[in-house]
Amino acid sequence: MSENPNLLAEQRRALILDEVRRRGGVRVNELTRKLGVSDMTVRRDLDALSRQGVLEKVHGGAVPVAEASTHEPGFEAKSGLEPTAKEDIARAAAELVAPGAAIALSGGTTTYALAHRLVDVPDLTVVTNSVRVADVFHVAQRTSGARQGVATVVLTGGVRTPSDSLVGPVADQAIATLHFDVLFLGVHGISAEAGLSTPNLAEAETNRRLVQSARRVVVVADHTKWGVVGLSSFAALEQVDTLVTDSGLSAPARAEVAEHLGLVVAGEPDAAVD
């Protein structure tokens, strides 16, 4: 069978993962017909997705991984998931930031990608509870020398999570005294019923404080986060102004999101949906 030249490996794997989650399982022969690729290619893709821990291989196909609602992957593990989607989202989200704004970036690999896009935006004040995000701006400051307009970074204190976020009472108290124009929020899961959720109870409270301190809330999350529910909800969809996601989000999910908040689909010609 000739390979489909229009699909990159990452695109194929995103489609496979979407099928597995939507249908509760797929067979290899179904995927070969749907994607127009060989059995060997599909099996390689399933092997790669299985190593990432996002699905489980079974005889003749694959099924979703039944993750506990308390499971919290580490930063490095999450960095390997959907890297192209995260870069697309970061590029689109950066366009929402005006010079001189006071913004907040929560912890997460997507906000980390966004931070790299913001280092050249002049006169930003950045509040973050992410050690990784703070490092991005600190490195940029060291390499830029005495350049005018570099970001002022406020890093909250707190207890470090597996995703390198600082949470807990110290972080909560620091955030409660601040007010920022826009919050860019990474999430573990998002759904119409549970809203925004995380497996970490302390992080849920810190994220709740971030939402309360923001004039505008922008969630940055790739399509695999839709339908995922963590242990603790910290905001309803109605508390969010905009979701910036990637083109892998299904049409039914887009329609459901658009009922509650603004939608920006990164990488598509008409990205904004009201």
Side-chain angles (χ1 to χ4, degrees):
M1 179 183 292
S2 61
E3 301 289 310
N4 185 339
N6 297 318
L7 285 179
L8 300 174
E10 191 173 303
Q11 294 173 315
R12 284 198 315 271
R13 291 166 190 174
L15 289 170
I16 290 170
L17 186 58
D18 186 60
E19 282 289 294
V20 170
R21 287 173 168 167
R22 184 172 59 85
R23 297 173 51 192
V26 291
R27 302 188 64 80
V28 170
N29 58 7
E30 295 172 335
L31 292 172
T32 59
R33 289 195 298 270
K34 183 177 181 67
L35 300 174
V37 296
S38 67
D39 281 15
M40 183 176 298
T41 297
V42 169
R43 293 182 190 280
R44 282 200 301 265
D45 289 340
L46 293 179
D47 284 338
L49 291 168
S50 177
R51 287 195 298 271
Q52 292 176 7
V54 293
L55 58 71
E56 180 180 351
K57 288 183 64 182
V58 295
H59 181 69
V63 296
V65 172
E67 268 191 2
S69 62
T70 55
H71 175 65
E72 182 178 9
F75 187 92
E76 299 301 338
K78 291 191 289 187
S79 292
L81 303 176
E82 306 296 334
T84 299
K86 289 172 183 175
E87 287 299 326
D88 289 342
I89 291 167
R91 190 179 301 110
E95 295 179 2
L96 304 177
V97 179
I103 66 171
L105 298 175
S106 76
T109 52
T110 308
T111 51
Y112 177 73
L114 174 57
H116 284 87
R117 296 274 173 182
L118 298 179
V119 293
D120 292 323
V121 178
D123 300 318
L124 288 182
T125 298
V126 180
V127 177
T128 186
N129 67 321
S130 167
V131 176
R132 301 279 186 146
V133 167
D135 281 346
V136 170
F137 288 100
H138 289 318
V139 169
Q141 288 171 352
R142 287 200 301 269
T143 57
S144 65
R147 180 172 62 86
Q148 295 295 313
V150 296
T152 299
V153 179
V154 178
L155 177 64
T156 70
V159 178
R160 198 164 181 163
T161 70
S163 58
D164 286 344
S165 300
L166 300 176
V167 301
V170 173
D172 299 345
Q173 289 173 18
I175 293 165
T177 65
L178 302 172
H179 305 279
F180 23 85
D181 301 314
V182 188
L183 163 65
F184 292 94
L185 187 64
V187 296
H188 173 81
I190 178 172
S191 72
E193 298 79 15
L196 312 182
S197 61
T198 172
N200 188 305
L201 290 172
E203 186 169 46
E205 181 57 31
T206 298
N207 284 345
R208 197 171 290 121
R209 297 296 181 95
L210 284 167
V211 170
Q212 291 168 355
S213 294
R215 294 186 180 90
R216 183 182 181 195
V217 178
V218 177
V219 170
V220 288
D222 69 73
H223 70 280
T224 65
K225 304 296 181 68
W226 180 257
V228 175
V229 178
L231 177 65
S232 179
S233 294
F234 58 86
L237 291 189
E238 289 74 15
Q239 293 176 268
V240 178
D241 296 286
T242 305
L243 168 65
V244 183
T245 189
D246 66 287
S247 58
L249 191 68
S250 67
R254 295 186 193 199
E256 196 164 12
V257 170
E259 290 180 6
H260 300 273
L261 60 150
L263 176 63
V264 174
V265 182
E268 294 191 353
D270 297 320
V273 179
D274 294 328

